[in-house]
Amino acid sequence: MNKAFIKKYGTLLLLATGAGIIFQLPYIRETFYVPIQNAMNLSNAQMGLLSSGYATMSLFSYFIGGIIADKFSARKLLTFSFIATGILGLWFSTFPGYTISRVIFVLMGISTIITYWSACIKATRMLGNDEEQGRLFGLQEGLRGIMNALLVFGMTAAFTRFADEVAGASAAIKVCSIVVIIIGILNFIFIEDTKKEENPESFVEVTKGMFKALLIPRVWLLVAIVFTAYSVYGLIAYATTFAQQFYGLSAASAATLGGIRYLIQGAGGIVGGFLADKVKSRFKVIIGGCIGLALSFGLFIVMPSKASLCVMVVANFFVGLFFIYAVRSQYFAVHDDAGIPLNMSGRVSGIASCLGYTPDIFMYTLVGSWMDNYGRAGYNMTWTYAMVAAVLCAIITFILSRIVKKENAQKMSA
């Protein structure tokens, strides 16, 4: 095993670990939704507003982060991002009240995005050639899931040590925050500074390039793929809350499922990545995964609310997770298929993330109000929303694949 191999996959592991763990805090509701809700006496709509505050700030941060990723060195920015996020997490672990918590989530919208996300995507692309993109992004998604699982199991262990679920949730958030800070220190130690001369463009030129990228039609199709797939990803997280409210799943079991889901992320991401390279099409993996997701959400709608069906609900949740992580592992890998040059990778990733992740702004508040007002019917409305998004993602991906195939055929005949 040579040094180049170790450096390549060691860097991938660190990127994957950081990409997963840094987002545990702003998305802590996915694992400890009910305990946090009870700790601060929040409605489902208010829980949604916490996420919306984070998402609104992230919207601007993704755009700025795309510019930064194509211009500046990552090491110090990454270190700041992790340490700042960890400190914010420690603050939130005190459950300081709804208003202050909204401020914390807005600040995390800055600390987890500007200095990390687009740079992480670009760094992953740079680790291999065109033929390796599927497996690199798949491995990144998979390793991210495995590291997340280890963290969530540690958080769950901290949670279950306390009879009071509020104290347990606080302890779990503290564990996560400390790990995030440690990852920041490791980034400072092991990530090399990028030389300034690697991108001689001025900040103004890079910013202009960001807006020029908006004029490329394929960029908008990439945005639409992320928008629809990310909608499905966000909504599937409600399956554990669904199982708690209507099928008798305990809070401790729900937290354990939060850890298991990341092991499935490992399987779905790695299988999706290697399958994409095997069939030589990231498009096919996304389309097939979205069809599977539509069927999975449809099953949630038709299952009656009986405690005896809890195992079936959980099993269907796992199937849906496998498909969504296979899809997620490829929706940035298709940038290579779409002909996006590497020197534009940061800005295009910034645009795709900035606009593609906009469901965070309205989706959680919307479905939270459905659940508050309509109960089980509100969940069925949520699952229908997810089914429509999955089908649209498959259609848009198919359209982009046809465009790319036509362009390649024209180039070969020229």
Side-chain angles (χ1 to χ4, degrees), residues 66-382:
I67 297 171
I68 289 174
D70 283 339
K71 180 60 184 174
F72 297 107
S73 174
R75 181 178 175 231
K76 297 179 180 66
L77 295 173
L78 287 174
T79 302
F80 167 79
S81 186
F82 282 105
I83 292 177
T85 302
I87 291 171
L88 289 169
L90 291 173
W91 189 8
F92 180 65
S93 71
T94 66
F95 301 126
Y98 175 61
T99 301
I100 292 176
S101 294
R102 289 202 70 185
V103 173
I104 291 172
F105 274 73
V106 167
L107 292 175
M108 283 196 284
I110 298 172
S111 66
T112 64
I113 305 299
I114 288 180
T115 56
Y116 195 85
W117 186 240
S118 291
C120 178
I121 295 169
K122 183 174 181 178
T124 304
R125 280 193 69 183
M126 292 175 66
L127 288 174
N129 58 33
D130 294 350
E131 296 178 355
E132 296 178 286
Q133 293 300 302
R135 75 192 68 171
L136 284 172
F137 277 92
L139 282 168
Q140 197 237 44
E141 185 74 21
L143 291 170
R144 175 179 174 181
I146 293 168
M147 299 308 293
N148 266 331
L150 294 175
L151 174 61
V152 172
F153 286 137
M155 292 166 65
T156 302
F159 175 74
T160 55
R161 286 179 63 87
F162 294 85
D164 178 18
E165 67 174 18
V166 174
S170 177
I173 296 169
K174 286 184 173 72
V175 168
C176 183
S177 302
I178 291 169
V179 172
V180 169
I181 291 171
I182 291 172
I183 293 294
I185 295 170
L186 291 176
N187 271 273
F188 185 79
I189 295 171
F190 292 108
I191 297 293
E192 295 181 4
D193 273 322
T194 305
K195 294 179 181 179
K196 293 181 180 180
E197 60 267 28
E198 285 186 7
N199 191 340
E201 294 178 289
S202 68
F203 187 82
V204 173
E205 288 172 329
V206 174
T207 304
K208 287 180 179 178
M210 189 84 166
F211 286 98
K212 286 180 180 178
L214 290 169
L215 301 177
I216 303 173
R218 283 169 297 171
V219 170
W220 287 99
L221 290 174
L222 292 170
V223 167
I225 289 170
V226 175
F227 182 96
T228 50
Y230 186 71
S231 295
V232 178
Y233 169 72
L235 294 174
I236 201 170
Y238 283 105
T240 53
T241 309
F242 177 62
Q244 283 181 266
Q245 293 187 1
F246 300 101
Y247 295 90
L249 187 72
S250 69
S253 296
T256 301
L257 290 181
I260 295 174
R261 69 171 288 174
Y262 293 116
L263 292 178
I264 296 174
Q265 178 180 4
I270 292 170
V271 171
F274 279 91
L275 181 61
D277 285 346
K278 180 72 174 177
V279 301
K280 299 187 184 302
S281 175
R282 292 113 193 176
F283 295 125
K284 289 180 181 178
V285 170
I286 294 176
I287 293 169
C290 285
I291 293 171
L293 283 163
L295 295 173
S296 177
F297 280 108
L299 187 57
F300 280 138
I301 294 174
V302 300
M303 281 193 290
S305 300
K306 295 181 180 179
S308 59
L309 295 178
C310 185
V311 174
M312 185 178 293
V313 171
V314 172
N316 188 48
F317 172 52
F318 288 164
V319 170
L321 285 175
F322 181 85
F323 283 126
I324 190 55
Y325 284 121
V327 171
R328 255 180 44 129
S329 74
Q330 298 306 300
Y331 63 40
F332 284 110
V334 293
H335 287 201
D336 187 73
D337 290 342
I340 303 299
L342 187 59
N343 65 349
M344 291 181 64
S345 184
R347 65 198 78 174
V348 173
S349 297
I351 291 169
S353 301
C354 171
L355 301 178
Y357 290 160
T358 51
D360 271 345
I361 295 174
F362 63 86
M363 188 171 67
Y364 300 117
T365 304
L366 176 65
V367 300
S369 66
W370 287 348
M371 294 167 192
D372 285 337
N373 295 323
Y374 304 110
R376 171 64 195 257
Y379 276 94
N380 287 346
M381 293 162 69
T382 300

